[in-house]
């Protein structure tokens, strides 16, 4: 029997978690750039080490949380069937794998600018359409305008910069596939949170990392999984940072926030990632700040703030989920 209980996480905190995750993902790009220059690792090997490190860091946390929950508090999530657990693990794990690997392949095929615009520009549209059908989320006129503004801002930010590269159909297709992987994770996790059907976000994170690591292992071995001996200390330090902050911590907070924030809002807030990367590139990597960068960043941030404020206003005073009684 299910009994209504108050949601443990306020919407405002969920928004903060997702914003933090998106910001740290932007720092991962800068770290990856340094690793490409000094470690000799390719994108698939780097993604493999990122998810493997995140898995190693998150697994003890999940085991400890599970033990404390059993002894100190009643179960906070409905117990899904074995079939439902298997489906969740497969969908989120493969979605994460497709999202990351297809994006890196798109960058290699058609360049960073085009791949970023297609992936992150298409993702909110995919999330909005699928979320409307699968979760019944109403976008509304204001939300539609915010999504459109975010896509415009991102397009100006990336395409207006120098060195955009050629547009290749194969690369565009891979970028769309990457956006579909991201949309799948976002909408499916939000779908599971309806009526108390969600699961522990940290368990979701660990299982997703495990599936992604297993899928990437043969590709990483083929690409070359070991870094160069030169600058090994810097390489290890950057890998630890990438695994700990923008992976283990960020994805744990991301999946937690997904339980209480609309999928479309999440997809737009995560567009902060390229803004963060642009700021780091200018401040630390000596890249030139263009007019397009300033204009695109301003439009993008305004859209993110507008959609976040609309989400907070539309949230009920007391969210209710379903959870099993003891």
């Amino acid at each position: 029997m299910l009994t209504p209980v108050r949601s443990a996480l306020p919407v405002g905190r969920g928004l903060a978690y997702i914003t933090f995750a998106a910001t740290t993902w932007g720092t991962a790009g800068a770290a990856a750039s340094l690793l490409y220059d000094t470690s000799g690792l390719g994108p698939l090997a780097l993604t493999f080490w990122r998810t493997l490190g995140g898995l190693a860091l998150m697994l003890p946390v999940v085991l400890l949380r599970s033990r404390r929950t059993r002894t100190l508090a009643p179960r906070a999530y409905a117990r899904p069937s074995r079939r439902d657990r298997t489906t969740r693990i497969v969908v989120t794990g493969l979605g994460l794998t497709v999202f990351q690997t297809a994006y890196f392949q798109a960058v290699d095929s058609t360049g960073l600018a085009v791949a970023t615009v297609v992936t992150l520009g298409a993702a909110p549209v995919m999330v909005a359409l699928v979320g409307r059908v699968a979760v019944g989320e109403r976008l509304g006129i204001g939300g539609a305008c915010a999504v459109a503004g975010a896509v415009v801002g991102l397009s100006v930010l990336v395409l207006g910069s120098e060195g955009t590269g050629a547009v290749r159909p194969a690369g565009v297709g891979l970028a769309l596939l990457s956006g579909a992987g991201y949309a799948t994770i976002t909408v499916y996790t939000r779908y599971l949170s309806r009526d108390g059907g969600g699961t522990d976000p940290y368990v979701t994170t660990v299982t997703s990392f495990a599936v992604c690591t297993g899928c990437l292992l043969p590709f990483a071995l083929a690409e070359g999984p070991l870094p160069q001996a030169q600058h090994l200390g810097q390489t290890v330090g950057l890998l630890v940072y990438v695994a700990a902050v923008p992976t283990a911590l960020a994805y744990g907070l991301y999946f937690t926030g997904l339980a209480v924030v609309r999928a479309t809002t999440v997809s737009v807030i995560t567009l902060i990632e390229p803004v963060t990367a642009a700021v780091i590139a200018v401040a630390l990597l000596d890249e030139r700040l263009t007019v397009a960068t300033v204009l695109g960043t301003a439009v993008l941030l305004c859209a993110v703030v507008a959609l976040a404020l609309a989400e907070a206003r539309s949230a009920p005073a007391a969210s209710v989920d379903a959870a099993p009684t003891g």
Side-chain angles (χ1 to χ4, degrees):
M1 179 178 179
L2 297 179
T3 301
V5 296
R6 291 184 183 273
S7 174
L9 184 69
V11 172
R13 187 176 299 176
L15 290 168
Y17 285 174
I18 294 169
T19 301
F20 176 84
T23 304
T24 59
W25 288 337
T27 68
S33 296
L34 294 174
L35 285 168
Y36 290 150
D37 292 338
T38 60
S39 70
L41 294 173
L44 295 176
L46 176 57
T47 305
F48 167 77
W49 286 116
R50 176 182 182 180
T51 55
L52 179 62
L55 175 63
L57 291 171
M58 287 295 296
L59 188 57
V61 176
V62 169
L63 294 176
L64 180 60
R65 278 171 51 87
S66 177
R67 183 178 304 174
R68 292 183 62 183
T69 300
R70 287 197 302 267
T71 58
L72 300 179
R75 185 180 298 274
Y77 300 91
R79 182 189 294 273
S81 65
R82 178 175 297 180
R83 179 179 178 181
D84 290 341
R85 291 199 301 270
T86 302
T87 301
R88 173 184 56 80
I89 291 171
V90 171
V91 170
T92 56
L94 291 181
L96 181 65
T97 304
V98 170
F99 171 45
Q100 294 197 27
T101 57
Y103 172 73
F104 284 124
Q105 293 298 326
V107 170
D108 181 62
S109 175
T110 194
L112 175 60
V114 175
T116 302
V117 167
V118 175
T119 299
L120 297 181
V125 178
M126 293 179 180
V127 169
L129 295 176
V130 179
R132 180 68 182 92
V133 174
V135 189
E137 295 183 346
R138 295 187 177 276
L139 185 59
I141 297 177
C145 291
V147 170
V151 173
V152 170
L154 183 63
S155 300
V156 174
L157 172 66
V158 181
L159 290 179
S161 301
E162 296 180 349
T164 55
V167 178
R168 297 182 174 86
V172 172
L174 287 167
L176 289 173
L177 180 62
S178 176
Y182 169 81
T184 299
I185 297 172
T186 303
V187 175
Y188 185 70
T189 304
R190 183 63 174 147
Y191 173 81
L192 292 178
S193 69
R194 302 187 314 168
D195 303 323
T199 56
D200 189 330
Y202 293 95
V203 173
T204 300
T205 304
V206 166
T207 55
S208 299
F209 286 168
V211 172
C212 187
T213 301
C215 290
L216 287 172
L217 176 59
F219 299 100
L221 291 174
E223 189 178 64
L226 298 180
Q228 298 174 353
Q230 190 176 11
H231 307 295
L232 185 59
Q234 176 181 320
T235 297
V236 172
L238 287 172
L239 286 174
V240 169
Y241 170 78
V242 169
V245 180
T247 304
L249 178 58
Y251 272 100
L253 295 178
Y254 172 75
F255 282 116
T256 302
L258 271 179
V260 296
V261 180
R262 290 184 302 176
T264 303
T265 303
V266 171
S267 68
V268 176
I269 292 177
T270 52
L271 294 179
I272 292 174
E273 177 184 354
V275 176
T276 304
V279 171
I280 292 176
V282 171
L284 301 180
L285 303 181
D286 297 326
E287 294 188 6
R288 188 166 59 88
L289 186 64
T290 65
V291 175
T293 302
V294 175
L295 179 60
T297 300
V299 174
L300 183 56
L301 288 178
C302 287
V304 170
V305 172
L307 200 56
L309 291 176
E311 172 77 18
R313 287 196 301 267
S314 64
S319 300
V320 176
D321 290 332
T325 57

